[in-house]
Coordinates of all heavy atoms in Angstrom, one line a residue:
M6 N 0.8 -1.2 0.0 CA 0.0 0.0 0.0 C 0.9 1.2 0.0 O 1.9 1.3 0.6 CB -0.9 0.0 1.2 CG -2.0 1.1 1.2 SD -3.2 0.9 2.5 CE -2.4 1.8 3.8
A7 N 0.5 2.3 -0.7 CA 1.2 3.5 -0.7 C 1.2 4.2 0.7 O 0.4 3.9 1.5 CB 0.5 4.5 -1.7
E8 N 2.2 5.1 0.8 CA 2.4 5.8 2.1 C 1.4 7.0 2.1 O 1.3 7.7 1.1 CB 3.8 6.3 2.3 CG 4.8 5.2 2.6 CD 4.5 4.6 3.9 OE1 4.3 5.3 4.9 OE2 4.6 3.3 4.0
P9 N 0.8 7.3 3.2 CA -0.1 8.5 3.3 C 0.7 9.7 3.0 O 1.9 9.8 3.4 CB -0.6 8.4 4.8 CG -0.4 7.0 5.2 CD 0.8 6.5 4.4
K10 N 0.1 10.7 2.4 CA 0.7 12.0 2.0 C 0.5 13.0 3.1 O 1.2 14.0 3.1 CB 0.1 12.5 0.7 CG 0.4 11.5 -0.5 CD -0.2 12.1 -1.7 CE 0.0 11.2 -3.0 NZ -1.0 10.1 -3.0
H11 N -0.5 12.8 4.0 CA -0.7 13.9 4.9 C 0.2 13.8 6.1 O 0.9 12.8 6.4 CB -2.2 13.7 5.4 CG -2.4 12.5 6.2 ND1 -2.0 12.3 7.5 CD2 -3.1 11.4 5.9 CE1 -2.4 11.2 8.0 NE2 -3.0 10.5 7.0
G12 N 0.3 14.9 6.8 CA 1.1 15.0 8.0 C 0.3 14.9 9.2 O -0.8 14.3 9.2
T13 N 0.7 15.5 10.3 CA -0.1 15.5 11.5 C -0.6 16.9 11.9 O -1.1 17.1 13.0 CB 0.8 14.9 12.7 OG1 1.9 15.7 12.8 CG2 1.1 13.5 12.4
K14 N -0.5 17.8 11.0 CA -1.0 19.1 11.2 C -2.2 19.4 10.3 O -2.3 18.8 9.2 CB 0.0 20.2 10.9 CG 1.2 20.1 12.0 CD 2.2 21.2 11.8 CE 3.3 21.1 12.8 NZ 4.4 22.0 12.6
P15 N -3.2 20.2 10.7 CA -4.3 20.4 9.8 C -4.0 21.1 8.5 O -3.0 21.8 8.4 CB -5.2 21.4 10.7 CG -4.2 22.1 11.5 CD -3.1 21.1 11.8
I16 N -4.9 20.8 7.5 CA -4.8 21.5 6.3 C -5.9 22.7 6.4 O -7.1 22.4 6.6 CB -5.1 20.6 5.1 CG1 -4.1 19.5 5.0 CG2 -5.2 21.4 3.8 CD1 -4.3 18.5 3.9
V17 N -5.4 23.9 6.2 CA -6.3 25.0 6.4 C -6.7 25.5 5.0 O -5.8 25.8 4.1 CB -5.6 26.2 7.2 CG1 -6.6 27.4 7.3 CG2 -5.2 25.6 8.6
I18 N -8.0 25.6 4.8 CA -8.5 26.0 3.4 C -9.6 27.0 3.6 O -10.2 27.2 4.6 CB -9.0 24.8 2.7 CG1 -10.1 24.1 3.5 CG2 -7.9 23.8 2.3 CD1 -10.8 23.0 2.7
E19 N -9.9 27.7 2.5 CA -11.1 28.6 2.4 C -12.1 27.7 1.7 O -12.1 27.4 0.5 CB -10.8 29.8 1.5 CG -9.9 30.8 2.2 CD -10.4 31.3 3.5 OE1 -11.6 31.6 3.6 OE2 -9.7 31.4 4.5
E20 N -13.0 27.2 2.6 CA -14.0 26.2 2.1 C -15.3 26.9 1.6 O -15.6 28.0 2.1 CB -14.4 25.3 3.3 CG -15.3 24.1 2.9 CD -14.6 23.3 1.8 OE1 -14.7 23.7 0.7 OE2 -14.1 22.2 2.2
T21 N -15.9 26.2 0.7 CA -17.2 26.7 0.2 C -18.4 25.9 0.7 O -18.1 24.8 1.3 CB -17.2 26.6 -1.4 OG1 -17.0 25.3 -1.7 CG2 -16.1 27.5 -2.0
V22 N -19.6 26.4 0.6 CA -20.7 25.7 1.0 C -21.0 24.4 0.1 O -20.7 24.5 -1.1 CB -22.0 26.6 0.9 CG1 -23.3 25.9 1.2 CG2 -21.8 27.8 1.9
G23 N -21.5 23.4 0.8 CA -21.9 22.2 0.0 C -21.4 20.9 0.6 O -20.7 20.9 1.7
K24 N -21.7 19.8 0.0 CA -21.3 18.5 0.5 C -19.9 18.2 0.2 O -19.4 18.4 -1.0 CB -22.2 17.4 -0.2 CG -22.1 16.0 0.4 CD -23.1 15.1 -0.3 CE -23.0 13.7 0.3 NZ -24.0 12.9 -0.4
K25 N -19.1 17.8 1.2 CA -17.7 17.6 1.0 C -17.3 16.3 1.6 O -17.8 15.8 2.6 CB -16.9 18.7 1.8 CG -17.3 20.1 1.6 CD -17.1 20.6 0.2 CE -17.6 22.0 0.0 NZ -17.4 22.6 -1.2
A26 N -16.3 15.6 0.9 CA -15.8 14.3 1.4 C -14.3 14.5 1.7 O -13.5 14.8 0.8 CB -16.0 13.3 0.3
Y27 N -14.0 14.5 3.0 CA -12.6 14.7 3.4 C -11.9 13.4 3.6 O -12.4 12.5 4.2 CB -12.6 15.5 4.7 CG -13.1 16.9 4.6 CD1 -14.3 17.2 5.2 CD2 -12.5 17.8 3.8 CE1 -14.8 18.5 5.1 CE2 -13.0 19.1 3.6 CZ -14.2 19.4 4.3 OH -14.7 20.7 4.2
C28 N -10.7 13.3 2.9 CA -9.9 12.1 2.9 C -9.5 11.7 4.3 O -9.1 12.5 5.2 CB -8.6 12.3 2.1 SG -7.4 11.0 2.1
Q29 N -9.5 10.4 4.6 CA -9.1 9.9 5.9 C -7.9 8.9 5.7 O -7.2 8.6 6.7 CB -10.2 9.2 6.7 CG -11.3 10.1 7.1 CD -10.8 11.2 8.1 OE1 -10.4 10.9 9.2 NE2 -10.7 12.4 7.6
C30 N -7.7 8.4 4.5 CA -6.6 7.4 4.3 C -5.3 8.1 4.1 O -4.2 7.5 4.2 CB -6.9 6.5 3.2 SG -6.8 7.2 1.5
G31 N -5.3 9.4 3.7 CA -4.1 10.1 3.5 C -3.4 9.9 2.1 O -2.3 10.3 1.8
L32 N -4.1 9.1 1.2 CA -3.5 8.8 0.0 C -4.1 9.6 -1.2 O -3.6 9.4 -2.3 CB -3.8 7.3 -0.3 CG -3.2 6.3 0.7 CD1 -3.7 4.9 0.4 CD2 -1.7 6.4 0.8
S33 N -5.0 10.4 -0.9 CA -5.6 11.2 -2.0 C -4.6 12.2 -2.6 O -3.8 12.8 -1.9 CB -6.8 12.0 -1.4 OG -7.3 12.9 -2.4
A34 N -4.7 12.4 -3.9 CA -3.9 13.4 -4.6 C -4.6 14.8 -4.5 O -4.0 15.8 -4.9 CB -3.7 13.0 -6.1
K35 N -5.8 14.8 -3.9 CA -6.5 16.1 -3.8 C -6.7 16.5 -2.3 O -7.7 17.1 -2.0 CB -7.8 16.0 -4.5 CG -7.7 15.7 -6.0 CD -9.1 15.7 -6.5 CE -9.1 15.5 -8.0 NZ -10.5 15.5 -8.6
L36 N -5.8 16.1 -1.4 CA -6.0 16.4 0.0 C -6.3 17.9 0.2 O -5.8 18.8 -0.5 CB -4.7 16.1 0.8 CG -4.4 14.7 1.0 CD1 -3.0 14.5 1.6 CD2 -5.4 14.0 1.9
P37 N -7.3 18.2 1.1 CA -7.9 17.3 2.1 C -9.1 16.5 1.6 O -9.7 15.8 2.3 CB -8.3 18.3 3.2 CG -8.8 19.5 2.4 CD -7.8 19.6 1.3
Y38 N -9.4 16.6 0.3 CA -10.6 15.9 -0.3 C -10.3 14.5 -0.7 O -9.1 14.2 -1.1 CB -11.1 16.7 -1.5 CG -11.4 18.1 -1.1 CD1 -10.7 19.2 -1.6 CD2 -12.5 18.5 -0.3 CE1 -10.9 20.5 -1.2 CE2 -12.8 19.8 0.0 CZ -12.0 20.8 -0.4 OH -12.3 22.1 -0.1
C39 N -11.3 13.7 -0.6 CA -11.2 12.3 -1.1 C -11.1 12.3 -2.6 O -11.9 13.1 -3.3 CB -12.4 11.5 -0.6 SG -12.6 9.9 -1.3
D40 N -10.3 11.4 -3.2 CA -10.3 11.2 -4.7 C -10.5 9.8 -5.0 O -10.3 9.3 -6.1 CB -9.0 11.8 -5.3 CG -7.8 10.9 -5.0 OD1 -7.9 10.0 -4.1 OD2 -6.7 11.1 -5.6
G41 N -10.9 9.0 -4.0 CA -11.2 7.6 -4.3 C -10.0 6.7 -4.0 O -10.1 5.4 -4.2
A42 N -8.9 7.2 -3.6 CA -7.7 6.4 -3.3 C -7.9 5.4 -2.3 O -7.3 4.3 -2.4 CB -6.5 7.4 -2.9
H43 N -8.8 5.6 -1.3 CA -9.0 4.6 -0.3 C -9.5 3.3 -0.9 O -9.2 2.2 -0.4 CB -10.0 5.1 0.8 CG -11.4 5.4 0.3 ND1 -11.7 6.5 -0.4 CD2 -12.5 4.6 0.3 CE1 -13.0 6.5 -0.8 NE2 -13.5 5.4 -0.3
S44 N -10.3 3.4 -2.0 CA -10.8 2.2 -2.7 C -9.7 1.6 -3.5 O -9.5 0.4 -3.5 CB -12.0 2.5 -3.5 OG -13.1 2.8 -2.7
R45 N -9.0 2.4 -4.3 CA -8.0 1.9 -5.2 C -6.9 1.2 -4.5 O -6.3 0.2 -5.0 CB -7.4 3.1 -6.0 CG -8.3 3.7 -7.0 CD -7.6 4.6 -8.0 NE -6.8 5.7 -7.3 CZ -7.4 6.9 -7.0 NH1 -8.7 7.1 -7.2 NH2 -6.6 7.8 -6.4
E46 N -6.6 1.7 -3.3 CA -5.5 1.1 -2.5 C -5.9 0.1 -1.5 O -5.2 -0.4 -0.7 CB -4.7 2.2 -1.7 CG -4.1 3.2 -2.6 CD -2.8 2.7 -3.3 OE1 -2.3 1.7 -2.9 OE2 -2.4 3.3 -4.4
N47 N -7.2 -0.3 -1.5 CA -7.8 -1.3 -0.7 C -7.6 -1.0 0.8 O -7.2 -1.9 1.6 CB -7.3 -2.7 -1.0 CG -7.8 -3.1 -2.4 OD1 -8.9 -3.0 -2.7 ND2 -6.9 -3.7 -3.2
T48 N -7.7 0.2 1.2 CA -7.6 0.6 2.6 C -8.9 0.2 3.3 O -9.9 0.0 2.7 CB -7.3 2.1 2.8 OG1 -8.5 2.8 2.5 CG2 -6.1 2.5 2.0
Q49 N -8.9 0.3 4.6 CA -10.2 0.1 5.4 C -10.8 1.5 5.7 O -11.8 1.6 6.4 CB -9.9 -0.6 6.7 CG -9.3 -2.0 6.5 CD -10.2 -2.9 5.6 OE1 -11.4 -3.0 5.9 NE2 -9.7 -3.5 4.6
C50 N -10.2 2.5 5.2 CA -10.7 3.9 5.5 C -11.8 4.3 4.5 O -11.9 3.8 3.4 CB -9.6 4.9 5.3 SG -8.3 4.8 6.5
K51 N -12.6 5.2 5.0 CA -13.6 5.9 4.2 C -13.6 7.4 4.5 O -13.2 7.8 5.6 CB -15.0 5.4 4.5 CG -15.2 3.9 4.1 CD -16.7 3.5 4.2 CE -16.8 2.1 3.6 NZ -18.1 1.6 3.8
P52 N -13.9 8.2 3.5 CA -13.9 9.6 3.8 C -15.0 10.1 4.8 O -15.9 9.3 5.0 CB -14.1 10.3 2.4 CG -14.9 9.2 1.7 CD -14.3 7.9 2.2
I53 N -14.8 11.2 5.4 CA -15.8 11.8 6.2 C -16.6 12.7 5.3 O -16.0 13.7 4.8 CB -15.2 12.5 7.5 CG1 -14.5 11.5 8.4 CG2 -16.4 13.3 8.2 CD1 -13.9 12.2 9.6
V54 N -17.9 12.5 5.2 CA -18.7 13.3 4.3 C -19.5 14.3 5.2 O -20.2 13.8 6.1 CB -19.6 12.5 3.5 CG1 -20.5 13.3 2.6 CG2 -18.8 11.5 2.6
V55 N -19.4 15.5 4.9 CA -20.2 16.5 5.7 C -20.8 17.5 4.8 O -20.4 17.7 3.6 CB -19.3 17.3 6.7 CG1 -18.7 16.3 7.7 CG2 -18.2 18.0 6.0
E56 N -21.9 18.2 5.2 CA -22.5 19.3 4.5 C -22.0 20.6 5.2 O -22.3 20.9 6.3 CB -24.0 19.2 4.6 CG -24.8 20.2 3.8 CD -24.8 19.8 2.3 OE1 -24.7 18.6 2.0 OE2 -24.8 20.8 1.5
V57 N -21.2 21.3 4.4 CA -20.6 22.6 4.9 C -21.7 23.6 4.7 O -22.1 23.8 3.6 CB -19.3 22.9 4.2 CG1 -18.9 24.3 4.7 CG2 -18.3 21.9 4.5
E58 N -22.2 24.2 5.8 CA -23.3 25.2 5.7 C -22.9 26.6 5.6 O -23.7 27.5 5.2 CB -24.3 24.9 6.9 CG -24.9 23.5 6.8 CD -25.8 23.3 7.9 OE1 -25.9 24.1 8.9 OE2 -26.5 22.2 7.9
A59 N -21.6 26.9 6.0 CA -21.2 28.3 5.9 C -19.7 28.3 5.3 O -18.9 27.6 5.8 CB -21.2 28.9 7.3
A60 N -19.6 29.1 4.3 CA -18.2 29.3 3.7 C -17.3 30.0 4.7 O -17.7 30.7 5.5 CB -18.3 30.1 2.4
G61 N -16.0 29.7 4.6 CA -15.0 30.4 5.4 C -13.8 29.5 5.6 O -13.7 28.4 5.0
T62 N -12.9 30.0 6.5 CA -11.7 29.3 6.8 C -12.0 28.1 7.6 O -12.6 28.2 8.6 CB -10.7 30.2 7.5 OG1 -10.5 31.4 6.7 CG2 -9.4 29.5 7.7
K63 N -11.5 26.9 7.2 CA -11.7 25.6 7.9 C -10.3 25.0 8.0 O -9.5 24.9 7.1 CB -12.6 24.7 7.1 CG -14.0 25.3 6.7 CD -14.9 25.4 7.9 CE -16.3 25.9 7.4 NZ -17.1 26.3 8.5
A64 N -10.1 24.4 9.2 CA -8.9 23.6 9.4 C -9.3 22.1 9.5 O -10.1 21.7 10.4 CB -8.3 24.0 10.7
I65 N -8.9 21.3 8.5 CA -9.2 20.0 8.3 C -8.2 19.1 9.1 O -7.0 19.1 8.7 CB -9.3 19.5 6.8 CG1 -10.0 20.6 6.0 CG2 -9.9 18.2 6.7 CD1 -11.4 20.9 6.4
C66 N -8.6 18.3 10.0 CA -7.8 17.5 10.8 C -7.0 16.5 10.0 O -7.7 15.8 9.1 CB -8.6 16.8 11.9 SG -7.6 15.6 12.9
Q67 N -5.7 16.3 10.2 CA -4.9 15.3 9.5 C -4.3 14.3 10.5 O -3.7 13.3 10.0 CB -3.8 16.0 8.7 CG -4.4 16.9 7.6 CD -5.2 16.2 6.6 OE1 -4.7 15.3 5.9 NE2 -6.5 16.5 6.5
C68 N -4.4 14.6 11.8 CA -3.8 13.6 12.7 C -4.8 12.5 13.1 O -4.4 11.6 13.8 CB -3.3 14.4 14.0 SG -4.6 14.9 15.1
H69 N -6.1 12.7 12.8 CA -7.1 11.8 13.1 C -7.4 11.6 14.6 O -8.1 10.6 14.9 CB -6.8 10.4 12.5 CG -6.5 10.4 11.0 ND1 -7.5 10.7 10.1 CD2 -5.4 10.3 10.3 CE1 -6.9 10.7 8.9 NE2 -5.6 10.5 9.0
Q70 N -7.0 12.5 15.4 CA -7.2 12.4 16.8 C -8.2 13.5 17.3 O -8.5 13.5 18.5 CB -5.9 12.5 17.6 CG -4.9 11.5 17.2 CD -5.3 10.1 17.4 OE1 -5.8 9.8 18.5 NE2 -5.1 9.3 16.4
S71 N -8.7 14.3 16.4 CA -9.6 15.4 16.9 C -10.8 14.8 17.5 O -11.4 13.8 17.0 CB -9.9 16.3 15.6 OG -11.0 17.2 16.0
G72 N -11.4 15.5 18.4 CA -12.7 15.1 19.0 C -13.8 15.7 18.2 O -15.0 15.5 18.6
N73 N -13.5 16.4 17.1 CA -14.6 17.0 16.3 C -14.3 16.8 14.8 O -14.4 17.7 14.1 CB -14.6 18.5 16.7 CG -15.8 19.2 16.1 OD1 -16.9 18.6 15.9 ND2 -15.6 20.5 15.7
L74 N -14.0 15.6 14.5 CA -13.7 15.3 13.1 C -14.8 15.6 12.1 O -16.0 15.5 12.5 CB -13.4 13.8 12.9 CG -12.0 13.3 13.5 CD1 -11.9 11.8 13.4 CD2 -10.9 13.9 12.7
P75 N -14.5 16.2 11.0 CA -13.2 16.3 10.3 C -12.5 17.5 10.7 O -11.4 17.8 10.1 CB -13.6 16.3 8.8 CG -14.9 17.1 8.8 CD -15.6 16.6 10.1
W76 N -12.9 18.3 11.6 CA -12.3 19.6 11.9 C -11.2 19.4 13.0 O -11.4 18.7 13.9 CB -13.4 20.6 12.4 CG -14.6 20.6 11.6 CD1 -15.9 20.3 12.1 CD2 -14.8 20.8 10.2 NE1 -16.8 20.3 11.1 CE2 -16.2 20.6 9.9 CE3 -13.9 21.1 9.2 CZ2 -16.7 20.8 8.7 CZ3 -14.4 21.2 7.9 CH2 -15.8 21.1 7.6
C77 N -10.2 20.2 12.8 CA -9.1 20.2 13.8 C -9.6 20.9 15.1 O -10.3 21.9 15.0 CB -7.9 21.0 13.2 SG -6.6 21.4 14.4
D78 N -9.3 20.3 16.2 CA -9.7 20.9 17.5 C -8.4 21.2 18.3 O -8.5 21.4 19.5 CB -10.6 20.0 18.3 CG -10.0 18.7 18.8 OD1 -8.8 18.4 18.5 OD2 -10.7 18.0 19.5
G79 N -7.2 21.1 17.7 CA -6.0 21.4 18.4 C -5.3 20.2 19.1 O -4.2 20.4 19.6
T80 N -5.9 19.1 19.0 CA -5.4 17.9 19.6 C -4.0 17.6 19.1 O -3.1 17.1 19.8 CB -6.3 16.7 19.4 OG1 -7.5 16.9 20.0 CG2 -5.7 15.4 20.0
H81 N -3.7 17.8 17.8 CA -2.4 17.5 17.2 C -1.3 18.2 18.0 O -0.2 17.7 18.0 CB -2.4 17.9 15.7 CG -2.4 19.4 15.5 ND1 -3.6 20.1 15.5 CD2 -1.5 20.3 15.4 CE1 -3.4 21.4 15.3 NE2 -2.1 21.6 15.2
S82 N -1.5 19.4 18.5 CA -0.4 20.1 19.2 C -0.1 19.4 20.6 O 0.9 19.7 21.1 CB -0.9 21.5 19.5 OG -2.0 21.6 20.3
R83 N -0.9 18.5 21.0 CA -0.6 17.8 22.3 C -0.1 16.4 22.1 O 0.1 15.7 23.0 CB -1.9 17.8 23.2 CG -2.4 19.2 23.6 CD -3.5 19.2 24.5 NE -4.8 18.6 23.9 CZ -5.6 19.4 23.2 NH1 -5.4 20.6 22.9 NH2 -6.7 18.8 22.7
L84 N 0.0 16.0 20.8 CA 0.5 14.6 20.5 C 2.0 14.5 20.6 O 2.7 15.5 20.4 CB 0.1 14.2 19.1 CG -1.4 14.1 18.9 CD1 -1.7 13.8 17.4 CD2 -2.1 13.1 19.8
P85 N 2.5 13.3 21.0 CA 4.0 13.2 21.0 C 4.5 13.4 19.6 O 3.9 13.0 18.6 CB 4.2 11.7 21.5 CG 2.9 11.3 21.9 CD 1.8 12.1 21.4
Q86 N 5.7 14.0 19.5 CA 6.3 14.2 18.2 C 6.9 12.9 17.7 O 7.5 12.1 18.5 CB 7.5 15.2 18.3 CG 7.0 16.6 18.8 CD 6.0 17.2 17.8 OE1 6.2 17.2 16.6 NE2 4.9 17.7 18.2
A87 N 6.8 12.6 16.4 CA 7.3 11.3 15.9 C 8.8 11.4 15.7 O 9.4 12.4 15.6 CB 6.6 11.0 14.5
Ligands
FES127 S1 -4.7 18.1 12.9 FE1 -5.4 19.3 14.6 S2 -6.5 17.9 15.9 FE2 -5.9 16.7 14.2

């Protein structure tokens, strides 16, 4: 299986309103969005699909430890450094 491309810090974007699928396997070429890589690479991951109701700056969690997935809640800053 390919190595995940994401790190352990959030990806901060200017998000638009609408249905979004955020990558959880880390293999997407379109991070933070899903591009179907989880299926192509036979991972057990699935994207988190949410309806974004308000446009604006969003921090998408990449460490997978947030208590408010898919959004970053700052947990990454308290994780041990690799
Ligand atoms: S990247 Fe910030 S809580 Fe996961």
Side-chain angles (χ1 to χ4, degrees):
M6 188 171 87
E8 289 294 315
K10 297 179 181 79
H11 66 75
T13 57
K14 293 182 179 174
I16 296 175
V17 180
I18 58 174
E19 290 300 316
E20 188 58 282
T21 58
V22 171
K24 189 175 183 179
K25 313 293 176 174
Y27 296 114
C28 175
Q29 294 299 292
C30 72
L32 301 174
S33 174
K35 295 181 177 180
L36 286 173
Y38 304 107
C39 173
D40 73 350
H43 64 280
S44 292
R45 290 192 304 275
E46 297 288 339
N47 292 317
T48 72
Q49 300 302 309
C50 291
K51 291 188 176 176
I53 296 177
V54 179
V55 297
E56 187 74 32
V57 176
E58 296 181 352
T62 304
K63 307 285 186 192
I65 315 302
C66 175
Q67 300 298 297
C68 76
H69 305 291
Q70 303 300 312
S71 172
N73 189 31
L74 287 171
W76 317 121
C77 172
D78 69 354
T80 299
H81 67 274
S82 64
R83 297 185 294 276
L84 296 175
Q86 299 297 314

